[in-house]
Amino acid sequence: MRSEIGMPLCNSLSKENSSMKHMKKLVLACVCSSLFTMTSSAAGKLNIYAWAESFDPDLIAQFESETGIDVTIDGFTSNEDLLAKLKSGSSDYDLVTPSQHFVKIMIQEQLLENIGARELPAYSNVDAKWQQQWWDPTGEYSVPFVYGTAGFTVNRDNYKGPATSWQEFFEPAAELKGKIAVFNTPDEIIPAAQIYLGVENCTEDSSEMKRVFDLLKKQKESVAVYSSDNINSRIASGEVYMHSWWDGDSMKARKEDNAPIEYAQPKEGLVGWLDSMVVPKGASNIDSAKTFINWMSEKEHATAEFNYYGHTPAVGIDDAQAVHKPESSPELFGSVPIIFSKACSPAAQKLVDKVWTQLLQ
């Protein structure tokens, strides 16, 4: 549509008196050509790598229609996959959505563009409690997007026991042998085990991490699969009775699919996360990425995204238009503590990697 805007102007100009001097014709032709080029090139591209099924397709279509920017989205299911993709240097993505501790890592490893985030219109919409946090203290690289928790969900048709402590998940009853599924990366499982055991997140104490390993090793006897994919079908069907999951995803399965499930509220606390919109180093379409960040951070669009995705936006929303309320969405409005994962030191991360590698051997 944009390339057509310049055409009528060129046609009308070509109808001028044929006695026009050659130079004037040339100038006008150049003007027409310039207008045509500007309007046709205004429509850009935007390649996004985001958490799987996170963006509302209708919102993306609306964004494309209003801006003329063509959007392509690929999905990932773990921060580790995203980090590996960026470190490989082979990605052509313009915008990605890592969690808070991985934003910190990516900044440290110079994997992100300095987009002057705090100067963008989007940043002024972000709740003050999320601005210039420890993962991006200067507010130059990231615009907070959505936040939530990682915990576990139970199938109430098959499991009638309590869902009020991590003990039920990490030290399961005999009836749960072979009926538990766990995320396939350590990013949220090890912090959850640390919360349960009272071990400091990102500890460099090997004896403390030995306690974490022993707990996970014992739990493994009851684990059917380590997987972050197809969680809905696995837990809703009763293939497993407990599954690692995220608050909003569990809520959507309960509401939209009538799945007989409950998101646990462990008294020890849930693992908190906050995803931000950032631009990878060397991105080809930085302006398009900034346009998207600003657009998605407007109240109307943030509300629509909340209604679709089921995770809480970091910017203000229209409460009257929000479909998820405390009375109908306990997954999002629990009362237990929320402990956000940190970016571990190399020494601490080495212990995490060691525990997870040995566990899955």
Side-chain angles (χ1 to χ4, degrees):
M1 288 295 293
R2 289 180 180 271
S3 62
E4 296 174 1
I5 295 175
M7 293 305 292
L9 177 58
C10 287
N11 289 338
S12 63
L13 288 173
S14 67
K15 294 177 182 179
E16 288 193 5
N17 192 296
S18 59
S19 64
M20 182 185 297
K21 293 182 179 179
H22 174 74
M23 184 56 72
K24 188 175 180 181
K25 288 182 180 179
L26 180 59
V27 171
L28 289 172
C30 289
V31 171
C32 288
S33 175
S34 176
L35 286 171
F36 179 83
T37 301
M38 290 173 60
T39 52
S40 61
S41 65
K45 295 183 179 298
L46 180 63
N47 298 314
I48 298 176
Y49 195 39
W51 288 94
E53 300 180 356
S54 56
F55 285 112
D56 180 355
D58 290 338
L59 265 184
I60 297 300
Q62 181 182 345
F63 173 79
E64 290 179 315
S65 175
E66 292 183 9
T67 66
I69 296 173
D70 294 325
V71 178
T72 301
I73 301 179
D74 293 330
F76 60 82
T77 56
S78 75
N79 280 295
E80 289 86 351
D81 288 346
L82 169 57
L83 180 62
K85 179 76 74 173
L86 295 190
K87 291 179 72 172
S88 72
S90 60
S91 77
D92 293 319
Y93 297 113
D94 306 304
L95 186 142
V96 297
T97 57
S99 300
Q100 74 284 347
H101 46 320
F102 276 76
V103 171
K104 181 70 171 179
I105 293 169
M106 291 171 184
I107 293 173
Q108 291 174 336
E109 299 194 13
Q110 299 183 341
L111 296 172
L112 302 181
E113 290 282 349
N114 180 337
I115 58 172
R118 68 176 184 272
E119 305 300 330
L120 297 178
Y123 209 81
S124 63
N125 294 334
V126 173
D127 191 313
K129 68 183 178 182
W130 303 124
Q131 292 182 8
Q132 296 182 238
Q133 275 281 358
W134 58 265
W135 54 85
D136 184 9
T138 62
E140 294 175 315
Y141 296 90
S142 63
V143 174
F145 177 42
V146 294
Y147 62 93
T149 63
F152 66 95
T153 294
V154 301
N155 183 302
R156 279 308 187 192
D157 282 351
N158 302 107
Y159 173 74
K160 307 299 184 183
T164 57
S165 170
W166 280 109
Q167 182 177 13
E168 288 105 46
F169 186 73
F170 287 122
E171 300 184 89
E175 67 180 289
L176 293 169
K177 189 175 182 64
K179 294 297 182 180
I180 291 179
V182 180
F183 288 146
N184 64 359
T185 60
D187 186 31
E188 289 156 331
I189 295 303
I190 285 184
Q194 291 171 329
I195 290 172
Y196 175 52
L197 294 173
V199 172
E200 183 182 0
N201 184 221
C202 288
T203 181
E204 296 181 5
D205 187 334
S206 59
S207 64
E208 290 286 79
M209 288 304 290
K210 177 66 164 55
R211 293 176 60 206
V212 173
F213 173 77
D214 290 343
L215 179 71
L216 296 177
K217 187 68 173 179
K218 182 65 176 177
Q219 182 204 34
K220 189 176 180 180
E221 298 173 6
S222 298
V223 175
V225 62
Y226 291 89
S227 176
S228 301
D229 299 318
N230 303 314
I231 295 175
N232 191 343
S233 61
R234 195 177 292 120
I235 184 67
S237 68
E239 177 184 339
V240 297
Y241 301 170
M242 282 186 182
H243 208 311
S244 303
W245 218 1
W246 300 285
D247 52 352
D249 299 81
S250 184
M251 177 194 69
K252 287 176 64 179
R254 177 182 62 80
K255 283 185 172 183
E256 298 174 7
D257 303 330
N258 294 315
I261 59 176
E262 178 185 343
Y263 188 66
Q265 296 291 325
K267 61 187 178 183
E268 301 87 358
L270 289 162
V271 178
W273 54 264
L274 181 142
D275 296 336
S276 292
M277 294 182 283
V278 302
V279 178
K281 196 77 171 179
S284 300
N285 301 291
I286 296 177
D287 286 343
S288 293
K290 290 181 178 180
T291 298
F292 183 82
I293 291 170
N294 288 327
W295 193 90
M296 285 297 298
S297 299
E298 294 176 10
K299 179 176 289 191
E300 174 189 356
H301 305 140
T303 306
E305 174 67 6
F306 176 50
N307 291 342
Y308 171 82
Y309 192 21
H311 294 301
T312 309
V315 303
I317 61 172
D318 185 343
D319 291 335
Q321 298 301 316
V323 300
H324 306 305
K325 311 287 186 181
E327 60 273 16
S328 63
S329 307
E331 297 89 344
L332 307 184
F333 300 94
S335 58
V336 301
I338 299 175
I339 299 93
F340 283 77
S341 299
K342 302 176 184 177
C344 296
S345 68
Q349 189 59 48
K350 186 176 181 179
L351 288 175
V352 169
D353 295 341
K354 182 179 180 180
V355 165
W356 199 252
T357 299
Q358 291 183 352
L359 176 68
L360 298 187
Q361 284 179 346

